[in-house]
Amino acid sequence: MEILAFGVTADEKPLLERAFAGRHEVRCLDVFLSEDTAPIAAGYEIVSTGVNADLSGRVLRTLAAGGTRMIAQRSTGFNNIDLDEARLLGMTVSRVCTYSPYSVAEFAWALAMAVNRRIVRASNRTRDFDFRLNGLMGRDMRGRTAGVLGTGRIGEAFTRIAHGFGMNLLGWDVAQNPACVELGMKYVDRDELLASSDLISLHVPLLESTHHILDAAALRLMRDDAILVNTSRGGLIDTDALVAELRAGRFTGVGLDVYEAEAGVFFQDKSLETVKDDTLARLVTFPHVVVTSHQAYYTSDAVGQIIDTTVANVADYLAGRRSENTLVPDAP
Protein backbone atom coordinates (compact mmCIF):
# COMPACT_ATOMS: atom_id res chain seq x y z
CA MET A 1 0.00 0.00 0.00
CA GLU A 2 1.17 3.54 -0.74
CA ILE A 3 0.69 6.11 2.01
CA LEU A 4 0.54 9.85 1.32
CA ALA A 5 2.31 12.03 3.88
CA PHE A 6 1.68 15.79 3.91
CA GLY A 7 3.92 18.46 5.45
CA VAL A 8 7.11 16.38 5.49
CA THR A 9 10.34 18.31 6.10
CA ALA A 10 13.60 17.48 4.34
CA ASP A 11 14.99 16.15 7.64
CA GLU A 12 11.93 14.00 8.25
CA LYS A 13 11.63 12.43 4.78
CA PRO A 14 14.48 9.87 5.01
CA LEU A 15 13.31 8.84 8.50
CA LEU A 16 9.76 8.23 7.22
CA GLU A 17 10.94 6.32 4.17
CA ARG A 18 13.28 4.15 6.24
CA ALA A 19 10.62 3.43 8.88
CA PHE A 20 8.08 2.25 6.30
CA ALA A 21 10.62 0.36 4.17
CA GLY A 22 9.61 -3.26 3.69
CA ARG A 23 6.09 -2.50 4.87
CA HIS A 24 4.55 0.15 2.64
CA GLU A 25 5.54 2.78 0.13
CA VAL A 26 5.29 6.35 1.38
CA ARG A 27 4.94 9.40 -0.84
CA CYS A 28 6.22 12.47 0.97
CA LEU A 29 4.97 15.97 0.16
CA ASP A 30 6.33 19.19 1.61
CA VAL A 31 2.98 20.94 1.12
CA PHE A 32 0.49 21.01 3.98
CA LEU A 33 -2.95 19.48 3.87
CA SER A 34 -5.60 22.12 3.21
CA GLU A 35 -8.75 22.59 1.17
CA ASP A 36 -6.57 23.35 -1.85
CA THR A 37 -4.28 20.32 -1.49
CA ALA A 38 -6.80 17.72 -0.24
CA PRO A 39 -7.67 16.54 -3.80
CA ILE A 40 -4.08 15.29 -4.15
CA ALA A 41 -5.00 12.49 -1.72
CA ALA A 42 -7.57 10.94 -4.08
CA GLY A 43 -6.94 7.20 -4.24
CA TYR A 44 -4.91 7.04 -1.02
CA GLU A 45 -6.54 4.98 1.74
CA ILE A 46 -4.09 6.25 4.38
CA VAL A 47 -2.99 9.87 4.73
CA SER A 48 -0.46 11.12 7.27
CA THR A 49 -0.46 14.74 8.43
CA GLY A 50 1.41 17.17 10.66
CA VAL A 51 0.11 19.33 13.48
CA ASN A 52 -0.70 22.33 11.28
CA ALA A 53 -2.74 20.42 8.70
CA ASP A 54 -6.29 21.59 8.08
CA LEU A 55 -8.51 18.64 8.97
CA SER A 56 -11.76 20.57 9.17
CA GLY A 57 -15.03 18.97 8.15
CA ARG A 58 -14.76 20.26 4.60
CA VAL A 59 -11.28 18.78 4.13
CA LEU A 60 -12.27 15.48 5.71
CA ARG A 61 -15.23 15.17 3.35
CA THR A 62 -12.94 15.77 0.38
CA LEU A 63 -10.55 13.10 1.64
CA ALA A 64 -13.35 10.62 2.28
CA ALA A 65 -14.81 11.19 -1.19
CA GLY A 66 -11.39 10.36 -2.64
CA GLY A 67 -11.20 7.08 -0.76
CA THR A 68 -9.21 8.02 2.35
CA ARG A 69 -10.20 5.92 5.34
CA MET A 70 -7.43 6.65 7.82
CA ILE A 71 -5.67 9.80 9.07
CA ALA A 72 -2.35 9.18 10.85
CA GLN A 73 -1.41 12.46 12.50
CA ARG A 74 2.28 12.80 13.35
CA SER A 75 1.78 14.84 16.51
CA THR A 76 0.33 14.74 19.99
CA GLY A 77 -2.04 17.68 19.48
CA PHE A 78 -5.23 17.13 17.52
CA ASN A 79 -7.17 20.37 17.94
CA ASN A 80 -6.88 20.79 14.15
CA ILE A 81 -9.08 17.74 13.50
CA ASP A 82 -12.88 17.71 13.36
CA LEU A 83 -13.29 14.41 15.19
CA ASP A 84 -17.10 14.50 15.07
CA GLU A 85 -17.03 14.75 11.28
CA ALA A 86 -14.48 11.95 11.11
CA ARG A 87 -16.84 9.72 13.11
CA LEU A 88 -19.74 10.53 10.79
CA LEU A 89 -17.57 9.64 7.80
CA GLY A 90 -16.46 6.37 9.39
CA MET A 91 -12.80 7.33 9.27
CA THR A 92 -10.06 6.15 11.59
CA VAL A 93 -7.93 8.90 13.15
CA SER A 94 -4.77 8.35 15.17
CA ARG A 95 -2.18 10.55 16.79
CA VAL A 96 1.08 10.12 18.73
CA CYS A 97 0.28 10.21 22.45
CA THR A 98 3.85 10.44 23.69
CA TYR A 99 7.36 11.11 22.48
CA SER A 100 10.53 12.42 24.09
CA PRO A 101 9.43 14.97 26.71
CA TYR A 102 13.01 16.17 26.96
CA SER A 103 12.96 17.65 23.45
CA VAL A 104 10.28 20.18 24.42
CA ALA A 105 11.42 20.74 28.02
CA GLU A 106 15.01 21.40 26.98
CA PHE A 107 13.89 23.79 24.24
CA ALA A 108 11.67 25.64 26.73
CA TRP A 109 14.76 26.18 28.82
CA ALA A 110 16.72 27.26 25.76
CA LEU A 111 14.12 29.98 25.17
CA ALA A 112 14.10 30.97 28.85
CA MET A 113 17.86 31.39 28.95
CA ALA A 114 17.97 33.07 25.53
CA VAL A 115 15.68 35.87 26.68
CA ASN A 116 17.16 36.01 30.18
CA ARG A 117 20.76 36.38 28.96
CA ARG A 118 19.88 38.34 25.78
CA ILE A 119 21.55 35.74 23.57
CA VAL A 120 19.90 36.76 20.31
CA ARG A 121 20.69 40.44 20.78
CA ALA A 122 24.27 39.65 21.78
CA SER A 123 24.77 37.38 18.75
CA ASN A 124 23.39 40.00 16.37
CA ARG A 125 25.70 42.63 17.86
CA THR A 126 28.85 40.58 17.58
CA ARG A 127 28.07 39.83 13.91
CA ASP A 128 28.45 43.61 13.46
CA PHE A 129 31.59 43.57 15.65
CA ASP A 130 29.77 45.45 18.40
CA PHE A 131 31.08 43.90 21.62
CA ARG A 132 29.51 46.24 24.18
CA LEU A 133 27.63 44.79 27.14
CA ASN A 134 25.05 47.57 27.48
CA GLY A 135 21.54 46.13 27.71
CA LEU A 136 22.71 42.51 27.98
CA MET A 137 22.46 42.03 31.74
CA GLY A 138 20.56 38.93 32.81
CA ARG A 139 20.05 37.35 36.22
CA ASP A 140 20.78 34.09 38.02
CA MET A 141 18.04 31.46 38.05
CA ARG A 142 19.26 29.92 41.29
CA GLY A 143 17.04 30.90 44.22
CA ARG A 144 14.29 32.28 42.01
CA THR A 145 10.86 30.72 41.47
CA ALA A 146 9.76 28.66 38.48
CA GLY A 147 6.02 28.34 37.92
CA VAL A 148 5.01 25.34 35.82
CA LEU A 149 1.50 25.31 34.38
CA GLY A 150 0.93 21.67 33.54
CA THR A 151 3.09 19.01 35.21
CA GLY A 152 2.69 16.01 32.93
CA ARG A 153 5.67 14.33 31.29
CA ILE A 154 7.00 17.51 29.66
CA GLY A 155 6.22 19.69 32.67
CA GLU A 156 8.00 17.18 34.90
CA ALA A 157 11.07 17.22 32.63
CA PHE A 158 11.06 21.04 32.74
CA THR A 159 10.73 20.89 36.53
CA ARG A 160 13.72 18.57 36.88
CA ILE A 161 15.87 21.07 34.98
CA ALA A 162 14.56 23.92 37.15
CA HIS A 163 15.44 21.86 40.21
CA GLY A 164 18.94 21.45 38.83
CA PHE A 165 19.23 25.24 38.63
CA GLY A 166 18.34 25.41 42.33
CA MET A 167 14.99 27.13 41.83
CA ASN A 168 11.92 27.19 44.03
CA LEU A 169 9.13 25.24 42.34
CA LEU A 170 5.44 26.09 42.01
CA GLY A 171 3.00 23.94 40.03
CA TRP A 172 -0.56 24.06 38.77
CA ASP A 173 -2.48 21.14 37.29
CA VAL A 174 -5.72 19.21 37.67
CA ALA A 175 -3.74 16.51 39.52
CA GLN A 176 -0.44 16.61 41.35
CA ASN A 177 2.56 14.76 39.92
CA PRO A 178 4.25 12.84 42.77
CA ALA A 179 7.62 13.09 41.01
CA CYS A 180 7.35 16.90 41.02
CA VAL A 181 6.27 16.92 44.67
CA GLU A 182 9.33 14.83 45.50
CA LEU A 183 11.48 17.50 43.86
CA GLY A 184 9.96 20.07 46.23
CA MET A 185 7.20 21.49 44.07
CA LYS A 186 4.36 23.22 45.87
CA TYR A 187 1.01 23.11 44.08
CA VAL A 188 -0.97 26.34 44.20
CA ASP A 189 -3.86 27.87 42.30
CA ARG A 190 -3.17 29.53 38.97
CA ASP A 191 -3.38 33.11 40.20
CA GLU A 192 -0.91 32.53 43.03
CA LEU A 193 1.51 30.85 40.65
CA LEU A 194 1.34 33.77 38.22
CA ALA A 195 1.83 36.36 40.93
CA SER A 196 4.71 34.54 42.65
CA SER A 197 6.87 33.21 39.81
CA ASP A 198 9.95 34.72 38.21
CA LEU A 199 9.74 32.26 35.32
CA ILE A 200 6.48 30.80 34.00
CA SER A 201 6.41 27.94 31.51
CA LEU A 202 3.26 26.51 29.88
CA HIS A 203 2.87 22.75 29.44
CA VAL A 204 -0.89 22.19 29.34
CA PRO A 205 -2.89 20.93 26.34
CA LEU A 206 -5.13 23.29 24.40
CA LEU A 207 -8.70 22.53 25.44
CA GLU A 208 -11.81 24.63 25.71
CA SER A 209 -11.01 25.05 29.41
CA THR A 210 -7.41 26.15 28.78
CA HIS A 211 -7.97 28.42 25.77
CA HIS A 212 -6.50 31.82 26.70
CA ILE A 213 -5.61 30.54 30.16
CA LEU A 214 -3.30 33.55 30.08
CA ASP A 215 -5.78 36.26 29.13
CA ALA A 216 -5.42 39.97 29.85
CA ALA A 217 -6.41 39.60 33.50
CA ALA A 218 -4.03 36.68 34.06
CA LEU A 219 -1.11 38.47 32.39
CA ARG A 220 -1.66 41.48 34.66
CA LEU A 221 -1.14 39.19 37.67
CA MET A 222 2.40 38.38 36.58
CA ARG A 223 5.39 40.23 37.91
CA ASP A 224 6.64 43.10 35.77
CA ASP A 225 10.07 41.42 35.52
CA ALA A 226 8.80 37.87 34.92
CA ILE A 227 9.91 35.63 32.07
CA LEU A 228 7.18 33.81 30.12
CA VAL A 229 7.78 30.74 27.95
CA ASN A 230 5.24 28.84 25.83
CA THR A 231 6.23 25.66 23.99
CA SER A 232 2.79 24.02 24.21
CA ARG A 233 0.02 25.59 22.11
CA GLY A 234 -0.38 29.17 20.93
CA GLY A 235 -4.03 29.38 21.93
CA LEU A 236 -3.11 29.21 25.60
CA ILE A 237 -2.15 32.90 25.45
CA ASP A 238 -4.26 35.84 24.33
CA THR A 239 -1.57 37.25 22.06
CA ASP A 240 -3.20 40.65 21.60
CA ALA A 241 -3.28 41.03 25.39
CA LEU A 242 0.36 39.93 25.58
CA VAL A 243 1.38 42.55 23.02
CA ALA A 244 -0.45 45.20 25.06
CA GLU A 245 1.51 44.22 28.18
CA LEU A 246 4.79 44.26 26.26
CA ARG A 247 4.01 47.72 24.89
CA ALA A 248 3.50 48.85 28.47
CA GLY A 249 7.09 47.82 29.18
CA ARG A 250 6.32 44.69 31.17
CA PHE A 251 8.23 41.39 31.45
CA THR A 252 11.95 40.71 31.33
CA GLY A 253 11.52 38.37 28.39
CA VAL A 254 9.08 36.21 26.47
CA GLY A 255 9.98 33.05 24.56
CA LEU A 256 7.32 31.63 22.22
CA ASP A 257 7.66 28.52 20.11
CA VAL A 258 3.93 28.56 19.30
CA TYR A 259 1.47 31.21 18.19
CA GLU A 260 -2.31 31.04 18.17
CA ALA A 261 -2.58 32.04 14.49
CA GLU A 262 0.41 29.99 13.32
CA ALA A 263 -1.55 27.77 10.91
CA GLY A 264 -0.67 28.71 7.36
CA VAL A 265 2.39 30.65 8.53
CA PHE A 266 4.71 28.44 10.58
CA PHE A 267 6.76 25.83 8.69
CA GLN A 268 6.65 27.98 5.54
CA ASP A 269 8.94 30.57 3.96
CA LYS A 270 7.15 33.91 4.15
CA SER A 271 10.30 36.02 3.83
CA LEU A 272 9.39 37.41 0.40
CA GLU A 273 5.78 38.17 1.29
CA THR A 274 4.11 41.09 3.03
CA VAL A 275 3.28 40.18 6.60
CA LYS A 276 -0.49 40.39 6.96
CA ASP A 277 -0.69 39.42 10.63
CA ASP A 278 -0.23 42.72 12.48
CA THR A 279 -0.09 41.00 15.88
CA LEU A 280 2.74 38.67 14.86
CA ALA A 281 4.57 41.50 13.10
CA ARG A 282 4.41 43.60 16.28
CA LEU A 283 5.38 40.70 18.50
CA VAL A 284 8.67 39.97 16.78
CA THR A 285 9.78 43.63 16.98
CA PHE A 286 10.22 43.56 20.76
CA PRO A 287 13.93 43.13 21.56
CA HIS A 288 13.21 40.94 24.60
CA VAL A 289 10.90 38.53 22.73
CA VAL A 290 12.12 35.43 20.91
CA VAL A 291 9.70 33.68 18.54
CA THR A 292 10.53 30.32 16.95
CA SER A 293 8.38 28.31 14.57
CA HIS A 294 7.06 25.36 16.58
CA GLN A 295 10.37 23.51 16.64
CA ALA A 296 10.59 22.45 20.29
CA TYR A 297 9.79 18.83 19.41
CA TYR A 298 12.23 18.81 16.49
CA THR A 299 15.05 16.51 17.61
CA SER A 300 16.12 13.31 15.90
CA ASP A 301 15.08 11.42 19.03
CA ALA A 302 11.57 12.83 19.23
CA VAL A 303 10.87 12.78 15.48
CA GLY A 304 12.12 9.20 15.32
CA GLN A 305 9.71 8.20 18.09
CA ILE A 306 6.85 10.05 16.38
CA ILE A 307 7.49 8.21 13.13
CA ASP A 308 7.83 4.81 14.82
CA THR A 309 4.48 5.36 16.54
CA THR A 310 2.91 6.45 13.24
CA VAL A 311 4.10 3.21 11.62
CA ALA A 312 2.56 1.27 14.52
CA ASN A 313 -0.70 3.22 14.18
CA VAL A 314 -0.93 2.29 10.51
CA ALA A 315 -0.29 -1.37 11.39
CA ASP A 316 -3.04 -1.22 14.02
CA TYR A 317 -5.49 0.24 11.51
CA LEU A 318 -4.78 -2.43 8.92
CA ALA A 319 -5.15 -5.15 11.56
CA GLY A 320 -8.39 -3.68 12.91
CA ARG A 321 -6.83 -2.86 16.28
CA ARG A 322 -7.23 0.21 18.48
CA SER A 323 -4.73 1.66 20.94
CA GLU A 324 -4.28 4.67 23.19
CA ASN A 325 -3.28 6.58 20.05
CA THR A 326 -6.62 5.97 18.35
CA LEU A 327 -8.89 9.02 18.45
CA VAL A 328 -11.62 7.75 16.13
CA PRO A 329 -13.16 5.24 16.71
CA ASP A 330 -12.81 5.97 20.42
CA ALA A 331 -9.74 4.36 21.97
CA PRO A 332 -10.35 1.30 24.16
Side-chain angles (χ1 to χ4, degrees), residues 54-253:
D54 177 1
L55 285 159
S56 59
R58 186 186 299 272
V59 172
L60 289 174
R61 288 189 292 273
T62 300
L63 293 176
T68 299
R69 308 307 304 158
M70 193 244 184
I71 304 293
Q73 175 126 309
R74 303 185 308 277
S75 71
T76 298
F78 55 91
N79 54 287
N80 61 318
I81 308 174
D82 187 336
L83 298 180
D84 291 334
E85 186 66 26
R87 290 187 186 93
L88 290 174
L89 294 168
M91 303 178 81
T92 295
V93 180
S94 69
R95 62 160 175 161
V96 177
C97 279
T98 60
Y99 57 85
S100 169
Y102 311 107
S103 60
V104 179
E106 291 172 4
F107 193 84
W109 268 105
L111 286 176
M113 296 310 294
V115 296
N116 176 40
R117 301 306 302 269
R118 313 295 194 238
I119 300 299
V120 175
R121 182 187 294 182
S123 177
N124 289 337
R125 281 187 186 178
T126 55
R127 285 177 181 274
D128 293 330
F129 297 96
D130 179 353
F131 300 103
R132 293 172 299 168
L133 296 181
N134 295 336
L136 301 182
M137 184 175 288
R139 56 186 177 179
D140 294 356
M141 289 289 101
R142 182 175 180 82
R144 288 189 161 83
T145 299
V148 186
L149 286 164
T151 55
R153 296 174 71 246
I154 297 173
E156 178 187 332
F158 182 91
T159 299
R160 290 188 181 279
I161 298 172
H163 180 263
F165 271 102
M167 301 187 74
N168 303 312
L169 306 172
L170 295 180
W172 176 89
D173 210 327
V174 294
Q176 296 187 11
N177 183 335
C180 292
V181 174
E182 187 176 343
L183 291 170
M185 174 171 280
K186 177 185 177 182
Y187 279 83
V188 296
D189 63 37
R190 186 205 65 168
D191 290 359
E192 181 177 347
L193 183 149
L194 296 176
S196 303
S197 299
D198 299 289
L199 166 64
I200 295 167
S201 191
L202 304 182
H203 300 288
V204 296
L206 180 59
L207 307 169
E208 185 177 347
S209 59
T210 60
H211 180 256
H212 284 183
I213 191 171
L214 292 191
D215 57 12
L219 291 168
R220 285 194 292 270
L221 292 173
M222 293 171 55
R223 295 177 175 178
D224 287 346
D225 61 353
I227 293 172
L228 173 63
V229 174
N230 186 12
T231 53
S232 185
R233 288 292 181 269
L236 299 175
I237 299 176
D238 181 339
T239 316
D240 288 328
L242 175 61
V243 168
E245 295 301 308
L246 291 167
R247 292 184 64 183
R250 302 192 63 224
F251 307 143
T252 288

Side-chain angles (χ1 to χ4, degrees), residues 254-316:
V254 175
L256 303 175
D257 185 53
V258 288
Y259 173 61
E260 60 181 324
E262 69 181 56
V265 179
F266 280 17
F267 306 142
Q268 300 183 52
D269 183 1
K270 298 289 185 179
S271 61
L272 298 179
E273 300 179 21
T274 300
V275 177
K276 299 177 181 179
D277 187 330
D278 291 339
T279 301
L280 179 59
R282 187 70 182 91
L283 193 62
V284 298
T285 64
F286 292 102
H288 56 313
V289 173
V290 173
V291 179
T292 53
S293 56
H294 208 141
Q295 69 180 79
Y297 79 98
Y298 203 56
T299 67
S300 57
D301 308 87
V303 172
Q305 292 166 15
I306 289 169
I307 290 173
D308 288 344
T309 301
T310 301
V311 171
N313 289 342
V314 169
D316 285 342

